């Protein structure tokens, strides 16, 4: 098994310490940090996404795998600053909306997007529309990903889209939404650009929105 | 086909009459009527004792050990040790005053008149009528919360209340239901209505608000804190209850967030605040509530454990009722399932789920990751009841949330799980769950002899409050000020700790 394959397996198995060790080993062997992303982390997380979709993996394994992937990205990120070859796939501002503290789903999406090569500006949970607008501006983001897990808070997604429009940023960013009570038709009705029914779907959606 | 012989059992003082197949364990019949078995039905305590008025019930060594000769002569038995061998009339002594009088160091000051204690749960209600002079329970009633048809869990009920201005309707429903339970108890015990002076209710914050007619909007979003979570008092006349107009109805104060007076009552009942040693109380429900601490500091929190422990969102899950697999053990590599009501298996209740997963781990059919080994998709426990991969996942989420909550609260106390000397499991599920299985799945990572089922501590605490005076200066008022509520969701470490608690322990980790 090649080093990249070993890394992929360790990520899929959720073995964070092994991933960390293998990442360091790869670097000490002179492998470029920018190569480790597409050759080890992205394919591993795509496989995790596939297994999640096929019910082989459930949230615990996805979280554990994502945490293992983070053991690699934490080492690689600082090394990639200013590396032109490692341009992120896009910059995503993500959060749960005002009033909503249920952030495990959002965190999974953020970790999977990060492993897919996106730069993540994670504003956390219970985030106001103003904060989202500020972050889009400050980080020159091209995607906003929001989640709501309560029917009582999902209405706040609409206010965010309105605030982005009012700030003149709506043309500049694509907005994707998700969360248990959210549906495709709800997403359309509030003028979002896309809805991801689960984390793998969110990654596919982000890729297509970023490429558009 | 052979005709199955059935027998009749009449329960006093409730006058409930049931018919069941010969040989049905009384434990199954009585559990469905809301009777609890503090030791889990193992014949180790006296909590489930009954007095046989007509007919006969078997006698074994466990009962001879726990009951005096005089009690045995007078027809006392332990319900958990008996089964239905013929027609029976039995008197239920559940929740009798023993816990107030001999076993328990609680000193109650006798008061004149009668009182009512109510544990108002999201799903079920338990009410007791007490003689405040003697501490005796005169009658008991259980029921399903009539509001449940408008949402099984607290959030859906909050949504129903706020979305269409249904608050007055929900408040009216539950007030009428409790008034009717009180009427039934007065009737069955032939008590004098005018002697009821005091009614104490406990429940979570949403139940508190929906009974008291308070706006639940603040509970629909972060930070889930209501400005009206304090003690609420009414005169019977204000609720239009058919009692002495001056009788007081008190809903005890909430602790913060969704953690309500049922937990406050639980602390009162388990006396966590009186010991120097660190103790804990866990109520394993949809909102798993946790209290830890000692006489100097107490912390409480709720965790969104999900409904797995109640059998919901489990593919063949059901409440602990007839047909539910409530216990699974491995004997000589063979699976043995206990089905409630001596009936054909229909589904799996919370305790059965925990047992089944523990058994799967022991048989190595389930990996510590929670995945079925060898690509298995489901596991037949007893035809037609199966355990699926996603059922195991639901259980992992539930137990991970509880384990994370416990660990974070202990962390804030500067303590670890090894510092906890006594852990009480509250509620019916706490009585039924096998402590060994709970440990096997990593729900409670401590030696099982330090874990005790504590019964309905909410109801016991409510009863104690009946004797403690009717102002905020009473024992529960002082206690309430001592307990800090922690919003776990805003703890930055929550997710990390939660993920850590998702996998099941390796066999070697639980063998000690």
């Amino acid at each position: 098994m090649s080093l990249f394959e070993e890394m992929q397996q360790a990520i899929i198995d959720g073995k964070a310490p092994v991933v960390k060790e293998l990442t360091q080993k790869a670097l000490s062997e002179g492998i470029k940090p920018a190569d480790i992303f597409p050759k080890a982390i992205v394919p591993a997380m795509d496989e995790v996404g596939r297994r999640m979709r096929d019910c082989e993996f459930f949230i615990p394994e996805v979280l554990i795998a994502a945490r293992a992937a983070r053991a690699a990205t934490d080492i690689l990120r600082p090394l990639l600053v200013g590396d032109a070859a490692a341009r992120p796939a896009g910059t995503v501002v993500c959060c749960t909306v005002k009033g909503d503290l249920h952030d495990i789903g959002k965190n999974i999406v953020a970790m999977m997007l990060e492993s897919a090569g996106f730069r993540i500006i994670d504003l956390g949970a219970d985030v106001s529309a103003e904060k989202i607008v500020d972050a889009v501006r400050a980080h020159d983001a091209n995607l906003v990903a929001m989640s709501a897990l309560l029917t009582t808070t999902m209405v706040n997604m609409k206010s965010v889209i309105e605030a982005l429009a009012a700030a003149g940023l709506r043309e500049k960013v694509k907005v994707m939404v998700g969360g248990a009570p959210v549906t495709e038709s709800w997403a359309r009705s509030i003028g979002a650009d896309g809805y991801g029914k689960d984390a793998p779907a969110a990654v596919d959606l982000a890729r297509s929105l970023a490429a558009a | 086909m052979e005709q199955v012989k059935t027998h009749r059992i009449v329960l006093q003082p409730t006058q409930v009459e049931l018919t069941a197949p010969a040989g049905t364990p009384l434990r199954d019949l009585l559990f469905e009527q809301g009777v609890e078995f503090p030791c889990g039905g193992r014949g180790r305590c006296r909590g489930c004792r009954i007095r046989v008025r007509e007919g006969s019930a078997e006698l074994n060594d466990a009962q001879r050990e726990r009951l005096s000769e005089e009690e045995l002569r007078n027809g006392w038995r332990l319900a958990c040790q008996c089964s239905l061998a013929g027609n029976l009339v039995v008197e239920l002594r559940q929740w009798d005053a023993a816990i107030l009088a001999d076993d328990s160091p609680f000193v109650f000051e006798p008061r004149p008149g009668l009182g009512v204690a109510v544990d108002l749960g999201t799903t079920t209600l338990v009410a007791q009528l007490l003689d405040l002079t003697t501490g005796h329970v005169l009658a008991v009633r259980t029921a399903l919360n009539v509001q449940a048809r408008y949402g099984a869990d607290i959030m859906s009920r909050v949504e129903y209340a706020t979305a269409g201005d249904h608050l007055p309707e929900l408040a009216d429903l539950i007030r009428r239901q409790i008034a009717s339970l009180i009427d039934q108890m007065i009737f069955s015990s032939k008590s004098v209505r005018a002697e009821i002076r005091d009614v104490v209710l406990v429940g979570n914050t949403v139940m508190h608000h929906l009974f008291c007619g308070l706006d639940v909007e603040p509970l629909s979003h972060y930070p889930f804190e209501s400005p009206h979570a304090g003690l609420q008092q009414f005169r019977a006349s204000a609720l239009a209850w058919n009692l002495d107009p001056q009788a007081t109805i008190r809903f005890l104060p909430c602790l913060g967030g969704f953690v309500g007076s049922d937990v406050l009552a639980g602390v009162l009942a388990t006396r966590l605040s009186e010991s120097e040693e660190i103790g804990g109380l866990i109520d394993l429900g949809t909102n798993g509530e946790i209290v830890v601490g000692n006489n100097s500091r107490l912390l409480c929190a709720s965790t969104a454990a999900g409904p797995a422990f109640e059998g919901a969102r489990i593919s063949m899950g059901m409440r602990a009722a007839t047909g539910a697999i409530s216990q699974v053990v491995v004997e000589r590599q063979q699976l043995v399932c206990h089905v409630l009501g001596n009936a054909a298996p229909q589904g799996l209740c919370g305790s059965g789920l925990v047992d089944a997963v523990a058994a799967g781990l022991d048989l190595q059919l389930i990996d510590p990751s929670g995945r079925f080994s060898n690509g298995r998709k489901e596991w037949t426990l007893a035809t037609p009841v199966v355990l699926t991969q996603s059922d195991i996942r639901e259980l992992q989420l539930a137990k991970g949330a509880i384990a994370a909550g416990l660990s974070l609260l202990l962390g804030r106390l500067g303590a670890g799980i090894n510092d906890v000397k006594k852990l009480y499991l509250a509620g019916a599920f706490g009585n039924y769950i096998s402590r060994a299985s709970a440990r096997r799945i990593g729900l409670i990572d401590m030696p099982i002899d330090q874990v005790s089922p504590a019964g309905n501590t909410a109801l016991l605490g409510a009863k104690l409050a009946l004797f403690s005076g009717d102002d905020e200066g009473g024992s529960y008022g002082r206690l309430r000020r001592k307990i800090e509520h922690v919003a776990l969701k805003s703890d930055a470490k929550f997710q990390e700790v939660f993920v850590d608690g998702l996998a099941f322990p390796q066999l070697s980790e639980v063998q000690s």
Side-chain angles (χ1 to χ4, degrees), chain B residues 333-470:
Chain B
Q333 297 288 303
Q334 291 289 309
L335 216 53
V336 181
C337 296
H338 175 79
V339 183
L340 289 177
N342 209 14
Q346 292 166 23
L348 193 58
C349 66
S351 59
L353 174 68
V354 172
D355 273 357
V357 172
L361 289 164
D362 281 347
L363 294 170
Q364 298 185 326
L365 295 173
I366 299 172
D367 292 338
S369 73
R371 205 178 314 167
F372 274 125
S373 52
N374 307 325
R376 180 190 283 269
K377 295 278 181 248
E378 58 180 39
W379 178 28
T380 302
L381 300 172
T383 312
V385 181
V386 297
L387 180 75
T388 69
Q389 183 65 71
S390 93
D391 297 342
I392 303 174
R393 302 311 188 193
E394 289 291 338
L395 182 64
Q396 284 179 279
L397 293 175
K399 74 106 185 173
I402 299 280
L406 184 59
S407 147
L408 288 172
L409 286 189
L410 286 170
R412 292 199 179 205
L413 283 180
I417 191 81
N418 295 329
D419 299 312
V420 180
K421 299 300 173 210
K422 194 84 193 162
L423 188 68
Y424 296 99
L425 299 179
F429 184 57
N431 279 343
Y432 269 85
I433 188 174
S434 144
R435 288 169 293 167
S437 296
R439 188 170 197 213
R440 182 65 190 90
I441 67 163
L443 173 64
I444 294 157
D445 181 21
M446 56 193 288
I448 59 171
D449 55 3
Q450 285 167 240
V451 182
S452 344
N456 189 338
T457 55
L459 189 65
L460 175 56
K463 281 196 283 193
L464 294 172
L466 281 173
F467 297 97
S468 80
D470 58 0

Side-chain angles (χ1 to χ4, degrees), chain A residues 7 10 15-26 68 71-72 75:
Chain A
M7 271 188 80
K15 294 176 177 158
V18 178
V19 173
K20 186 176 171 190
E21 195 182 300
L22 291 172
T23 307
Q24 278 153 349
K25 189 175 168 202
I75 298 172

